[in-house]
Amino acid sequence: MLTLNQDKFFFFYDDCSCIKVMPDSIEHAYLAVLNDDLETAEIIFQKLDSPRAKWGRILVCILRGFLKELPTYFDIRNFLEIDLDLFLKNEKLDYVEQILGSLEILSAVNQEVYKYAARVIYVNKLYSAALKYLEKSKKIYYNDAELHFLLARYYLRVNDCEEALFYITECLRLIPDYYPALQLKQKIEDRWI
């Protein structure tokens, strides 16, 4: 049985001391990726039959810089953010760059990829980079209420209440009863007035 060196990796939990990683498991494959052993990760992912393993095979290709097959809309929706966050938290910046570099191709399958990336980047406090990907997302699919909500949060964070109000208004134009947006609008108005 493999054990996780909690001092070396962030692995989805704050306390990794009790995690046991079984050989040839999804977790084992991800540890191989974090150890820059893409060959072992690919072999393990190929042995497994699950949506996560299928995505893992595609992920390894992305990390190597080429795609053999495109992921599905749901592969991207279900796993891209999790893995991007994992690589950011583990300071695997070369992998982050490979994923971000693949977004243009992936956007042909799932037009929300730039928003997904922006959301992860924002949560990891890389605010100006998050704005870059929010702007890319806006060019692909402007009528996305969540995109406008995220833009409003960004502009409120940088104290641009006029832009924040514009984007929260756009969000509420698309989904008038979106409760988090209604709360954020009140927060923006309270700060601005």
Side-chain angles (χ1 to χ4, degrees):
M1 227 182 309
L2 301 170
T3 58
L4 184 64
N5 179 350
Q6 67 183 15
D7 296 328
K8 186 171 182 184
F9 297 119
F10 165 82
F11 206 64
F12 304 112
Y13 304 98
D14 291 333
D15 179 10
C16 295
S17 61
C18 295
I19 296 175
K20 302 285 186 236
V21 177
M22 301 302 294
D24 294 333
S25 65
I26 290 289
E27 295 83 1
H28 182 195
Y30 270 90
L31 280 177
V33 170
L34 291 175
N35 276 309
D36 299 319
D37 186 355
L38 298 180
E39 186 175 328
T40 297
E42 183 176 40
I43 291 167
I44 296 168
F45 284 133
Q46 287 174 354
K47 291 179 185 178
L48 302 171
D49 182 26
S50 71
R52 186 71 164 150
K54 178 185 177 273
W55 166 258
R57 292 188 295 273
I58 292 167
L59 176 66
V60 167
C61 289
I62 290 171
L63 299 179
R64 286 182 171 150
F66 64 93
L67 278 172
K68 293 179 185 175
E69 68 176 297
L70 286 174
T72 67
Y73 174 91
F74 291 107
D75 291 334
I76 295 167
R77 188 191 75 183
N78 292 339
F79 306 119
L80 178 77
E81 286 180 89
I82 294 167
D83 289 349
L84 185 57
D85 188 56
L86 177 71
F87 296 141
L88 278 168
K89 285 182 170 43
N90 282 290
E91 299 176 5
K92 302 300 272 180
L93 300 183
D94 50 339
Y95 291 167
V96 171
E97 287 177 9
Q98 286 298 103
I99 290 174
L100 295 177
S102 74
L103 294 182
E104 185 175 345
I105 293 167
L106 298 179
S107 72
V109 177
N110 184 325
Q111 63 189 6
E112 296 180 274
V113 293
Y114 291 113
K115 178 183 72 176
Y116 298 155
R119 193 165 41 204
V120 172
I121 292 167
Y122 186 92
V123 166
N124 282 280
K125 300 180 176 162
L126 302 166
Y127 302 114
S128 60
L131 178 61
K132 173 184 172 184
Y133 288 97
L134 290 169
E135 290 295 331
K136 286 178 179 255
S137 184
K138 192 167 67 170
K139 289 178 184 174
I140 291 177
Y141 184 47
Y142 185 84
N143 289 324
D144 180 336
E146 184 184 16
L147 168 67
H148 293 291
F149 179 80
L150 294 170
L151 282 161
R153 283 184 52 206
Y154 169 81
Y155 282 109
L156 183 60
R157 178 161 212 345
V158 298
N159 293 314
D160 187 340
C161 290
E162 186 174 349
E163 285 294 301
L165 187 58
F166 171 79
Y167 284 110
I168 205 65
T169 301
E170 284 293 278
C171 174
L172 290 167
R173 177 182 63 80
L174 297 164
I175 303 178
D177 58 347
Y178 184 32
Y179 185 71
L182 292 168
Q183 287 183 309
L184 186 59
K185 183 177 184 192
Q186 185 61 54
K187 188 175 181 180
I188 293 166
E189 289 171 345
D190 290 346
R191 189 180 290 185
W192 202 10
I193 296 174

